[in-house]
Amino acid sequence: MCMKLIDFHCHILPRLDHGSRSSQISLSQLKLMQAAGVDTVCATSHFYPQEMLPETFLEARASSFARLLEVAGDTPRPKIVLGAEVLICDGLDRMENLSDLCLEGTNVILLEMPFSPSSWSSRLFQTVADISDKGITPVFAHVDRYPSKLVERLFDMGFQAQLNADSLNRLMKPHHLLQWIEEGCIVALGSDLHGAADDAYKPYMKVCASLKEKTASIMAETEKLLCDAVRR
Ligand SMILES: [Fe+2]
């Protein structure tokens, strides 16, 4: 099977969030990905709009990435696309410089919906629509974590999403997730990697292998999303 493996969601930038406590851990994370044959990884550290402005995050991200390059060299492998995992809140569409949080070089933003279903209000759905109206393409992070009826409201609005590999890493894969893949609602797979334990990357590898041609079609969709991305 000829395809590029793209990990769309992970936390590998040193000390930017809880994904990596040091440059050495980040380097170990990259090595796990290299061993798995990953071509490109999107570095999607958490961004919480209640806590900081996009420009503050971007400054911190640039420093963190520079620290990573000190140990990984100027051309790290896998290639890295800088981004963010942006927690949505009411009115996020009005945040200045929101588009700067898109994956670099694209208009694609990884949005995280609130964990509590009661927070999925009509206003929140409206915020999603308003973000899209601004020319930003949301991809929803790890939708395997949420009640399917709520997620399907996003799909009905025409949006697409990313799955965490561990959600599919079982003998009996959840039927609704396979159905979402069949219906083209899933455009990316992610490890959501935190830390660098020896087995931390196994779920992603196992799922990519077990989904076979479905993996190839998802990766083709991811590749389209990233066609203009800056890969470092
Ligand atoms: Fe994450």
Side-chain angles (χ1 to χ4, degrees):
M1 199 185 311
C2 178
M3 65 173 162
K4 282 185 180 161
L5 281 183
I6 302 168
D7 185 342
F8 198 73
H9 178 170
C10 72
H11 300 264
I12 58 164
L13 294 179
R15 302 200 297 276
L16 193 55
D17 66 11
H18 55 289
S20 165
R21 281 183 284 106
S22 69
S23 301
Q24 284 305 324
I25 290 177
S26 298
L27 186 60
S28 300
Q29 290 175 309
L30 290 181
K31 285 181 179 164
L32 291 174
M33 292 171 172
Q34 275 169 27
V38 173
D39 178 78
T40 299
V41 58
C42 298
T44 52
S45 302
H46 287 288
F47 174 83
Y48 298 114
Q50 297 88 347
E51 293 179 9
M52 66 172 76
L53 296 169
E55 47 269 39
T56 313
F57 173 83
L58 294 176
E59 264 176 46
R61 190 181 71 183
S63 305
S64 172
F65 186 56
R67 285 197 295 274
L68 177 57
L69 294 188
E70 279 171 21
V71 294
D74 286 340
T75 51
R77 291 293 174 266
K79 289 167 235 160
I80 297 174
V81 176
L82 295 176
E85 179 181 9
V86 179
L87 181 66
I88 194 166
C89 60
D90 286 350
L92 182 69
D93 55 294
R94 296 193 302 276
M95 177 175 253
E96 243 178 89
N97 304 324
L98 177 65
S99 60
D100 290 348
L101 299 175
C102 290
L103 294 161
E104 262 197 325
T106 78
N107 65 350
V108 176
I109 197 165
L110 184 66
L111 285 184
E112 180 181 31
M113 293 298 278
F115 186 69
S116 164
S118 64
S119 299
W120 290 50
S121 63
S122 300
R123 284 174 56 186
L124 205 65
F125 282 101
Q126 186 57 50
T127 296
V128 172
D130 291 342
I131 290 171
S132 171
D133 287 346
K134 291 179 78 157
I136 295 175
T137 302
V139 170
F140 291 91
H142 44 53
V143 287
D144 42 280
R145 288 190 185 173
Y146 307 104
S148 53
K149 279 214 161 60
L150 290 176
V151 174
E152 284 164 7
R153 243 179 105 176
L154 294 170
F155 295 156
D156 289 344
M157 292 166 75
F159 298 116
Q160 294 172 306
Q162 169 257 318
L163 291 179
N164 273 8
D166 59 3
S167 67
L168 291 158
N169 196 21
R170 23 189 130 146
L171 212 51
M172 295 292 285
K173 301 189 194 315
H175 177 71
H176 69 289
L177 300 185
L178 293 177
Q179 195 173 334
W180 290 350
I181 293 172
E182 286 296 332
E183 291 169 355
C185 303
I186 302 304
V187 288
L189 296 174
S191 64
D192 206 353
L193 184 66
H194 292 69
D198 288 347
D199 59 354
Y201 214 65
K202 281 195 178 146
Y204 182 86
M205 291 166 67
K206 276 175 79 173
V207 165
C208 287
S210 71
L211 288 179
K212 298 185 179 128
E213 64 279 358
K214 288 190 182 76
T215 306
S217 62
I218 293 171
M219 293 299 156
E221 291 304 309
T222 315
E223 186 72 39
K224 280 189 220 162
L225 290 173
L226 295 183
C227 67
D228 295 323
V230 177
R231 295 174 207 239
R232 309 220 191 202

